[in-house]
């Protein structure tokens, strides 16, 4: 008899976004994103991190003080990394991301042809950046849906096997 209680597609792809987020060096926010084609294939995956060649140990990870001494000008967001890592036409694809996209990522999402965003945390949703994202998504016909925070990665150990 087949197993019944398997992950849904949404849980599966958001789960992959979570797995990717575990690679992030950001001490405060680990964000993951996963892009899926219309025929349910994973075509891009990413997390928030520094651009190639920018040393994780040299660039800042803090949030306070002078802007240039914070992480903000340097970190590539998970959504943008997933788009840049994909190397394929993303028309009609869906993007799973653990936090609602900022306005800069929203622009890249729209321009790449992605048509659906599935997000988990709405930390950004009501901020100006999230409002700008929604304004652009609405105009461009990109839909966005919130998933309940139900996907938690469980690493198997000898104890819980
Ligand atoms: N949608 C997003 N995707 C992302 O990858 N990020 C990244 C950029 C930073 O590395 C971190 C935000 O840090 P903080 O402001 O929550 O300490 O998450 C941020 C957002 C929006 O908040
Ligand atoms: Zn962003």
């Amino acid at each position: 008899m087949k197993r019944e209680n398997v992950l849904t597609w949404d849980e599966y792809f958001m789960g992959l976004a979570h797995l990717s987020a575990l690679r992030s060096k950001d001490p405060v926010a680990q964000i993951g994103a996963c892009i899926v084609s219309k025929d349910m294939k994973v075509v891009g995956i990413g997390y928030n991190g520094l651009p190639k060649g920018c040393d994780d140990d040299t660039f800042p990870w803090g949030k306070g003080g002078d802007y240039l001494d914070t992480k903000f000008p340097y970190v590539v967001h998970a959504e943008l990394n997933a788009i840049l890592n994909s190397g394929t036409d993303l028309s009609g694809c869906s993007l799973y991301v653990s936090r609602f996209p900022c306005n800069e990522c929203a622009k890249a999402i729209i321009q790449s042809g992605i048509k659906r965003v599935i997000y988990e945390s709405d930390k950004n949703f009501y901020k100006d950046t999230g409002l700008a994202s929604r304004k652009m998504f609405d105009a461009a016909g990109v839909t966005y849906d919130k998933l309940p925070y139900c996907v938690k990665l469980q690493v198997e150990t000898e104890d819980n096997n």
Side-chain angles (χ1 to χ4, degrees), residues 30 82 93 150 154:
Q30 301 81 43
C93 284
C150 55
Q154 279 195 336

Side-chain angles (χ1 to χ4, degrees), residues 7-148:
L7 295 178
T8 63
W9 283 115
D10 280 345
E11 289 168 339
Y12 175 53
F13 295 129
M14 193 61 89
L16 292 177
H18 282 286
L19 181 66
S20 183
L22 294 178
R23 283 273 315 148
S24 178
K25 312 287 192 328
D26 189 319
V28 175
Q30 301 81 43
I31 313 292
C34 174
I35 304 174
V36 179
S37 67
K38 279 183 268 191
D39 54 351
M40 310 305 252
K41 289 178 185 155
V42 176
V43 290
I45 192 154
Y47 57 89
N48 52 326
L50 292 173
K52 283 177 196 165
C54 301
D55 187 0
D56 290 331
D57 294 316
T58 312
F59 279 77
W61 286 108
K63 296 167 62 142
D66 196 75
Y67 179 63
L68 290 179
D69 295 330
T70 71
K71 64 185 174 180
F72 297 115
Y74 310 112
V75 173
V76 184
H77 288 191
E79 303 91 312
L80 186 59
N81 261 334
I83 290 169
L84 296 172
N85 289 341
S86 81
T88 188
D89 178 19
L90 300 179
S91 302
C93 284
S94 299
L95 178 134
Y96 289 78
V97 61
S98 50
R99 190 187 284 182
F100 191 74
C102 75
N103 60 307
E104 292 299 329
C105 288
K107 296 176 204 174
I109 289 166
I110 292 166
Q111 294 302 72
S112 73
I114 289 170
K115 282 292 171 203
R116 185 173 177 226
V117 172
I118 301 99
Y119 66 99
E120 225 170 27
S121 158
D122 54 10
K123 189 166 187 273
N124 267 343
F125 196 81
Y126 299 102
K127 290 186 185 163
D128 280 353
T129 165
L131 281 169
S133 298
R134 283 192 272 151
K135 206 167 169 177
M136 290 187 280
F137 285 155
D138 292 343
V142 174
T143 62
Y144 39 91
D145 298 296
K146 191 177 191 310
L147 267 194

